[in-house]
């Protein structure tokens, strides 16, 4: 695997304009805090009281809690809170509008729409950072850092490569715990740290293994056609293979293909499969409603392009499908192939053949149970326990 852009051995110098913009953006964080010092002081006091001297985890601003797709940071924050840890999830500034400064999401989980200075009263919190996260470490004195490398860095197009490389080097030096989500990422970064922890994505088994009382109305209508439904839930991003889907859908007019998720990086351009009568893009659906769609699928597909990004992708949506007892056909991505019971295929004809196998085996109760058992090995609670064990080992030194 080639090194991610700007990491490990490459010398990148920030252009002056990029550096100035970054410094100004960070200065605005401080200015916002100074505009309402009494609010910051009140939140600081409330959070310190809420922590009650216990260990606190702070998730740095990155993904909004109400993001279209409920992803790894939100899931880990929830899982840690479920295990009795005190967790504060910091919303990015752009998501603060019309939200309270602090909002309880559970007994041990708070959503915080405030500058990081408001957390400065916490005693040595554990700070969770992603490669693109804005680090509030400067406001959290004594914070202990967990750095989570979740993707090949070429996916982070919204962040200038030199800034990404700078933050990566800082995190690799300062973090006490470094996680990677895929074996390919572990291989890429093990020369920088020999204590990397492989911690793939997971699944909320309790949520996805519970069959809903009724299916989503759109799925109910499609099932009336009598065709097996092949579903995909996730982003329609640049790694989604539109041409492969079009070819398979043309080859299999006897199947219905349903896509659920936002269209990313493609604007409003028509995709080649959109003109096909047996392909249905339903757009974004709330996370809470997904089982109502997933349980209406006869099989699940993940038709991604093969490249360094997808080979290093830990298959979150794959685990969710397995938890629902649904067979999954995938392109042969390296990390996904490490999961048993998947149906890999490359060409349209291979996809057609594997879809038939998946539909046949997926109709068997014994195979459905085997899929659910595999999913049970990959719960978010298990991933959170793995992180807690790493922290306990460090704390006991």
């Amino acid at each position: 695997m080639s090194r991610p852009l700007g990491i490990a051995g490459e010398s990148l110098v920030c252009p002056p304009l990029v550096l100035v913009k970054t410094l100004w953006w960070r200065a605005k964080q401080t200015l916002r805090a100074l505009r309402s010092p009494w609010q910051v002081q009140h939140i600081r006091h409330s959070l310190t009281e809420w922590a009650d001297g216990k260990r606190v985890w702070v998730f740095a601003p990155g993904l909004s809690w109400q993001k279209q797709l409920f992803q790894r940071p939100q899931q880990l924050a929830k899982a840690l809170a479920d295990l009795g840890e005190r967790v504060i999830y910091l919303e990015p500034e752009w998501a603060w509008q019309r939200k309270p400064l602090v909002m309880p999401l559970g007994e041990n989980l708070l959503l915080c729409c405030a500058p990081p200075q408001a957390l400065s009263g916490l005693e040595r919190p554990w700070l969770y950072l992603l490669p693109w996260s804005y680090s509030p470490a400067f406001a959290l004195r004594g914070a202990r850092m967990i750095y989570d490398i979740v993707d090949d860095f070429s996916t982070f197009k919204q962040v200038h490569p030199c800034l990404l490389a700078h933050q990566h080097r800082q995190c690799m030096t300062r973090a006490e715990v470094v996680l990677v989500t895929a074996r390919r990422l572990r291989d890429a970064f093990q020369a920088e740290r020999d204590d990397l922890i492989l911690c793939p994505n997971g699944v909320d088994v309790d949520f996805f293994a519970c069959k809903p009382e009724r299916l989503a109305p759109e799925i109910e209508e499609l099932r009336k056609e009598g065709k097996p439904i092949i579903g995909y839930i996730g982003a329609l991003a640049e790694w989604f293979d539109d041409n492969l889907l079009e070819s398979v859908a043309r080859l299999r007019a006897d199947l219905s293909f349903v896509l659920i998720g936002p269209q990313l990086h493609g604007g409003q351009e028509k995709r080649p499969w959109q003109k096909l009568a047996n392909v249905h893009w339903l757009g974004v659906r709330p996370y809470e409603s997904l089982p109502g769609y997933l349980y209406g699928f006869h099989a699940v597909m993940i038709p991604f392009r093969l490249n360094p990004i997808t080979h290093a992708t830990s298959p979150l949506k794959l685990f969710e499908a397995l938890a629902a007892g649904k067979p999954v056909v995938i392109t042969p991505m390296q990390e996904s192939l490490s999961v048993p019971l998947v149906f890999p295929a490359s060409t349209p004809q291979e996809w057609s053949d594997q879809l038939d196998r998946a539909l046949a085996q997926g109709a068997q109760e014994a195979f459905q149970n085997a899929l659910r058992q595999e999913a049970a090995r990959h719960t978010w609670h298990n991933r959170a326990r793995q992180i807690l064990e790493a922290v306990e080992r460090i704390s006991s030194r």
Side-chain angles (χ1 to χ4, degrees):
M1 175 182 178
S2 58
R3 288 276 183 201
L5 181 62
I7 303 300
E10 295 188 25
S11 177
L12 289 176
V13 179
C14 282
L17 182 58
V18 173
L19 184 59
V20 169
K21 286 183 176 179
T22 303
L23 292 174
W24 170 243
W25 183 83
R26 292 189 174 183
K28 285 199 299 181
Q29 296 281 328
T30 303
L31 288 173
R32 174 179 280 272
L34 294 175
R35 287 172 190 164
S36 306
W38 66 270
Q39 287 183 322
V40 173
Q41 184 176 358
H42 175 71
I43 296 172
R44 183 186 298 120
H45 175 75
S46 298
L47 292 179
T48 303
E49 190 175 71
W50 172 79
D52 193 27
K54 298 179 181 178
R55 179 168 57 199
V56 176
W57 302 73
V58 176
F59 279 66
L63 297 175
S64 171
W65 188 265
Q66 301 297 333
K67 185 77 173 170
Q68 291 172 326
L69 300 174
F70 204 63
Q71 299 183 42
R72 179 181 175 90
Q74 298 98 317
Q75 295 280 14
L76 283 176
K78 180 178 179 297
L80 286 166
D82 288 344
L83 295 177
E85 298 289 315
R86 300 293 176 95
V87 181
I88 299 172
Y89 193 96
L90 290 177
E91 280 281 76
E93 185 179 357
W94 57 263
W96 290 3
Q97 192 173 12
R98 298 191 182 96
K99 290 182 182 177
L101 295 174
V102 177
M103 181 169 62
L105 298 176
E107 183 179 355
N108 297 308
L109 178 60
L110 298 180
L111 184 70
C112 187
C113 299
Q117 288 85 351
L119 280 68
S120 60
L122 299 176
E123 184 177 351
R124 301 205 72 195
W126 281 92
L127 177 66
Y128 173 93
L129 285 169
L130 295 164
W132 69 84
S133 296
Y134 163 58
S135 172
F138 72 92
L140 301 179
R141 295 176 182 174
R144 309 179 76 173
M145 187 183 297
I146 292 181
Y147 179 42
D148 196 0
I149 305 176
V150 296
D151 278 306
D152 184 286
F153 281 19
S154 59
T155 62
F156 309 136
K157 297 185 182 301
Q158 294 83 3
V159 183
H160 195 282
C162 72
L163 297 177
L164 194 63
H166 174 71
Q167 173 132 327
H168 169 78
R169 285 191 290 267
Q170 281 194 325
C171 289
M172 289 295 270
T173 300
R174 294 184 56 191
E176 294 185 63
V177 176
V178 180
L179 310 174
V180 291
T181 58
R183 292 159 182 80
R184 196 175 178 93
L185 295 174
R186 181 183 60 189
D187 295 343
F189 294 107
Q190 63 184 358
E192 298 177 52
R193 293 275 298 246
D194 61 3
D195 58 349
L196 301 177
I197 297 174
L198 178 62
C199 183
N201 281 327
V203 60
D204 185 344
V205 168
D206 293 337
F207 181 67
F208 284 98
C210 183
K211 186 175 181 179
E213 293 183 2
R214 62 183 63 183
L215 299 178
E218 305 99 315
I219 299 298
E220 290 278 21
E221 285 298 313
L222 280 174
R223 288 176 73 97
K224 293 177 182 178
E225 298 179 3
K227 296 180 180 181
I229 297 176
I230 314 301
Y232 169 80
I233 299 176
L236 299 176
E238 59 191 29
W239 48 81
F240 187 92
D241 196 333
D242 295 297
N243 294 328
L244 176 60
L245 174 58
E246 180 194 22
S247 297
V248 175
R250 287 186 183 278
L251 195 60
R252 297 302 302 267
D254 60 319
L255 303 176
S256 291
F257 297 85
V258 172
L259 311 175
I260 297 173
Q263 180 168 252
L264 304 180
H265 311 307
Q268 300 302 315
E269 296 179 8
K270 284 282 187 180
R271 295 175 180 262
W273 42 260
Q274 285 185 272
K275 57 182 177 289
L276 302 180
N278 63 331
V279 181
H280 310 271
W281 177 34
L282 304 184
V284 179
R285 293 295 182 269
Y287 177 79
E288 295 78 10
S289 71
L290 294 184
Y293 294 90
L294 185 55
Y295 274 85
F297 299 161
H298 296 84
V300 169
M301 60 178 176
I302 306 180
F304 285 179
R305 304 176 189 275
L306 297 180
N307 56 39
I309 294 174
T310 57
H311 280 306
T313 297
S314 182
L316 188 152
K317 295 303 175 185
L318 191 160
F319 294 137
E320 292 175 352
L322 298 185
K326 300 298 176 179
V328 185
V329 182
I330 65 170
T331 45
M333 299 168 285
Q334 182 177 327
E335 192 64 24
S336 297
L337 288 173
S338 68
V339 180
L341 306 177
V342 296
F343 296 84
S346 297
T347 68
Q349 186 58 55
E350 288 177 0
W351 266 78
S352 177
D353 295 341
Q354 289 288 55
L355 283 171
D356 284 335
R357 295 187 184 97
L359 289 170
Q361 293 191 44
Q364 302 172 14
E365 185 176 355
F367 189 72
Q368 295 173 15
N369 290 335
L371 296 177
R372 293 189 178 98
Q373 288 172 10
E374 177 60 28
R377 298 177 51 242
H378 303 278
T379 68
W380 285 115
H381 286 163
N382 285 346
R383 303 300 189 230
R385 290 188 188 96
Q386 185 182 6
I387 295 171
L388 287 173
E389 289 171 2
V391 166
E392 292 295 344
R393 287 196 300 270
I394 291 171
S395 299
S396 63
R397 292 174 186 170

